[in-house]
Amino acid sequence: MENVKEICEKANQLYANKNYPEAVELWKQAALQNDSNALYMLGICYNYNLGVDEKDAEKRGIIASEYFIKSAELGDANAQCFAGLCFLHGIGVEKNIEKAVEWFEKSAEQNCTQAMNNMGLLFKQGKYTIDDSETNDLTDENTDDNEEYIDNKNYKLSFEWFKKSADLNDATGQMYVGMAYFKGLGVDEDKKKAINYYRMSAEQGLTDAMLYLGECYENGEYIEKNDIEAFKWYKAAAQKNNAKAQCYVGYCYEYGTGVAVNLAEAISWYQLSARNNYFQAFCNLGCCYEQGKGVKRNMNTAISLYEKAVELGSVHAMYNLGNVYAFGKGVKVDNERAIEYYRMAADNGQPEAQYNLAQHLYKGLGVEKNDEEAAYWFYQSAQGGDADAQCKIGIFFMNGIGVEENLKAAYYWFMQSALQGDMEAQYSLGLCYMDGLGVEVDYDEAKDWLLRAAEQGHRDAKKALKKLR
């Protein structure tokens, strides 16, 4: 009779060759002799429905958890990690966070990096925390301080677990350490260290780390901006089926970022990302169909793609659909529906949608005219950096429309818009300096801003300049 070791070696070979049913039968033989690895692998097979005859997912979960726990009790580190996951998610057992932590810690003691990462995530996501005297001493009057303290403590503990994993060269741990350094969570912010950890993880093939590293190169954050390097990492992640990276690669091909423009490739990558259900890919494809880029222009298809993107949460698609109905792109003008989509996007912080919503409210298009609400949304859009909204809220403050008159606020917003090149704001700013509105009279400054507006063709600015000569 074969010994347990020989049985398991045959089972492992069968499993590697994807002959799962025969592997399961051999592991069952070894499991009768309490072989911890055989018990663990049976847990894996039942958990992932590989070569087992049980069709009911819930029953498979119960069987898998029993195998994992038996193996865990015999000291198998991987099984201990999976036992923790069973208790964490209530797979085959009742949810029990303390039991989950107990098994994760035992697994981590044996250098199981997945268990370390699971502990890191528990703290990072606030699903588990450790009470101590310092926390308990905080009074009810300091509830906000208490929550902030617990958050900071959890982030520190999270970082410690991820760092342990990273030090053992685990790609996932390295990525999370990078994220912690990038955002300053549980550790002092250090973008350079973040990038180094992203690189270590990316070089091991972790697609999310490749994506983050590509974003760093594209944005030039504490590393020299390099679109070619950004594209390289996006493409590497995309080829490993990362849906977001596939969309990024499509964008690079569409606009020639780090690679030559190739609309056919752009469409191909967008379609691949969309098949993986990435929301922005549907929106980008919709834009291509709306503009006829790489495909024949088709507004019906564009609208359908935008609608799918909205279902998946694309804020930009909400804005695009607002424009479709506001401007009658392939449909009749419908300001009520436009407002519906603009409001969705505005509530999610999209500055252009906030501006367009404000315009509808101010003009009473598809909705009762409301200067106060219009002022609110112009202000939100202005804070988001929209130059048109900055100019508009300046006019509102100047004339007391929907807000109390405030000349200093008007001057401030005209300046923000003018610095972005808005000629109407430059003209208004010139008048502020010329007439001392919210700022001291300064004819040189007035002339400078009026001249900028005039050079862009602003007729009233040209007339006002004549008064200063």
Side-chain angles (χ1 to χ4, degrees):
M1 182 178 178
E2 293 177 301
N3 61 36
V4 172
K5 183 178 179 181
E6 291 173 341
I7 293 172
C8 287
E9 285 178 353
K10 285 185 178 180
N12 290 339
Q13 188 60 51
L14 289 166
Y15 183 84
N17 293 332
K18 297 185 179 181
N19 193 337
Y20 302 125
E22 290 187 31
V24 167
E25 290 306 312
L26 289 177
W27 276 322
K28 283 183 176 179
Q29 293 178 33
L32 292 174
Q33 300 183 54
N34 278 338
D35 183 86
S36 61
N37 183 253
L39 290 164
Y40 165 69
M41 289 306 301
L42 283 171
I44 290 292
C45 288
Y46 275 96
N47 187 61
Y48 295 108
N49 194 22
L50 301 173
V52 298
D53 52 13
E54 180 55 66
K55 304 301 180 184
D56 185 87
E58 187 174 348
K59 290 181 181 178
R60 283 202 310 274
I62 293 171
I63 297 170
S65 68
E66 290 174 351
Y67 279 124
F68 285 139
I69 291 170
K70 284 181 182 178
S71 179
E73 289 171 344
L74 290 169
D76 188 283
N78 291 323
Q80 289 169 342
C81 182
F82 271 88
L85 289 171
C86 288
F87 281 106
L88 178 63
H89 299 294
I91 300 172
V93 293
E94 288 188 14
K95 284 186 178 182
N96 188 320
I97 191 71
E98 285 75 19
K99 278 279 188 183
V101 168
E102 179 183 334
W103 283 119
F104 287 150
E105 288 181 335
K106 286 182 178 179
S107 180
E109 286 172 4
Q110 298 193 67
N111 285 342
C112 176
T113 56
Q114 183 180 350
M116 296 174 186
N117 293 332
N118 289 343
M119 285 298 299
L121 286 171
L122 285 177
F123 285 114
K124 185 175 188 287
Q125 296 168 357
K127 293 180 179 178
Y128 184 71
T129 190
I130 299 174
D131 291 330
D132 59 28
S133 58
E134 186 174 356
T135 305
N136 295 333
D137 286 344
L138 293 171
T139 66
D140 290 340
E141 295 178 359
N142 295 322
T143 301
D144 290 342
D145 291 339
N146 189 357
E147 291 178 357
E148 183 179 355
Y149 169 75
I150 291 172
D151 285 345
N152 290 337
K153 181 182 68 173
N154 276 9
Y155 284 133
K156 287 180 181 178
L157 292 169
S158 172
F159 176 79
E160 289 172 8
W161 280 108
F162 290 139
K163 186 66 165 57
K164 287 180 182 179
S165 173
D167 288 345
L168 291 170
N169 204 34
D170 181 90
T172 301
Q174 291 166 342
M175 182 192 71
Y176 278 118
V177 168
M179 293 172 68
Y181 274 122
F182 198 87
K183 298 179 180 179
L185 297 176
V187 66
D188 290 339
E189 182 181 307
D190 190 326
K191 293 288 200 299
K192 290 184 178 179
K193 284 186 178 180
I195 291 167
N196 286 337
Y197 275 99
Y198 285 156
R199 189 183 303 281
M200 284 189 277
S201 180
E203 287 176 349
Q204 292 200 67
L206 195 67
T207 59
D208 283 345
M210 294 174 179
L211 190 70
Y212 297 147
L213 184 57
E215 289 175 336
C216 290
Y217 274 114
E218 182 180 1
N219 298 326
E221 294 185 272
Y222 291 83
I223 191 171
E224 187 176 351
K225 180 177 172 61
N226 189 324
D227 289 337
I228 294 174
E229 276 292 303
F231 175 77
K232 181 188 84 171
W233 287 110
Y234 292 152
K235 186 79 174 286
Q239 289 172 329
K240 294 173 75 71
N241 211 34
N242 184 292
K244 187 175 182 180
Q246 289 165 345
C247 186
Y248 279 16
V249 169
Y251 187 90
C252 289
Y253 275 117
E254 181 180 357
Y255 293 100
T257 304
V259 66
V261 171
N262 188 325
L263 294 180
E265 280 288 312
I267 296 297
S268 177
W269 283 104
Y270 284 150
Q271 289 174 335
L272 184 57
S273 180
R275 284 198 291 273
N276 285 320
N277 230 30
Y278 182 61
F279 67 94
Q280 196 57 39
F282 288 99
C283 182
N284 290 5
L285 271 174
C287 291
C288 289
Y289 276 99
E290 180 179 341
Q291 299 167 23
K293 292 182 71 174
V295 291
K296 186 177 180 180
R297 187 175 186 275
N298 188 321
M299 279 307 302
N300 288 334
T301 301
I303 291 169
S304 178
L305 288 164
Y306 289 150
E307 288 173 343
K308 178 63 176 178
V310 167
E311 287 177 16
L312 295 172
S314 171
V315 176
H316 197 75
M318 298 170 192
Y319 167 66
N320 286 353
L321 277 175
N323 287 339
V324 164
Y325 290 104
F327 300 106
K329 298 180 177 182
V331 296
K332 290 183 179 180
V333 170
D334 187 338
N335 283 309
E336 289 185 5
R337 292 200 70 180
I339 286 173
E340 177 187 340
Y341 285 111
Y342 283 148
R343 193 177 293 279
M344 290 171 63
D347 286 338
N348 281 281
Q350 219 274 359
E352 291 86 355
Q354 291 169 338
Y355 174 80
N356 286 1
L357 175 59
Q359 286 283 60
H360 277 66
L361 288 161
Y362 180 50
K363 295 177 180 179
L365 298 173
V367 67
E368 186 176 346
K369 180 176 170 62
N370 189 323
D371 289 347
E372 289 75 16
E373 193 178 359
Y376 171 81
W377 286 114
F378 279 135
Y379 186 75
Q380 296 302 313
S381 180
Q383 288 187 310
D386 187 274
D388 290 332
Q390 290 168 343
C391 181
K392 202 74 174 185
I393 196 63
I395 293 171
F396 273 41
F397 276 119
M398 180 66 70
N399 298 289
I401 302 172
V403 293
E404 289 187 14
E405 182 181 304
N406 187 327
L407 299 183
K408 287 186 177 180
Y411 163 79
Y412 171 81
W413 286 113
F414 287 146
M415 177 63 81
Q416 301 310 305
S417 181
L419 289 171
Q420 293 196 66
D422 186 278
M423 70 174 181
E424 189 63 39
Q426 291 170 344
Y427 166 67
S428 297
L429 189 59
L431 296 184
C432 287
Y433 278 113
M434 188 166 70
D435 298 329
L437 303 173
V439 67
E440 291 184 7
V441 171
D442 188 325
Y443 292 122
D444 288 336
E445 283 289 331
K447 184 177 180 180
D448 179 52
W449 287 109
L450 290 171
L451 184 60
R452 295 191 198 193
E455 288 174 347
Q456 294 194 66
H458 198 289
R459 292 181 180 180
D460 289 337
K462 293 176 182 178
K463 293 176 183 179
L465 274 171
K466 293 177 181 179
K467 297 179 182 180
L468 294 175
R469 290 174 180 167

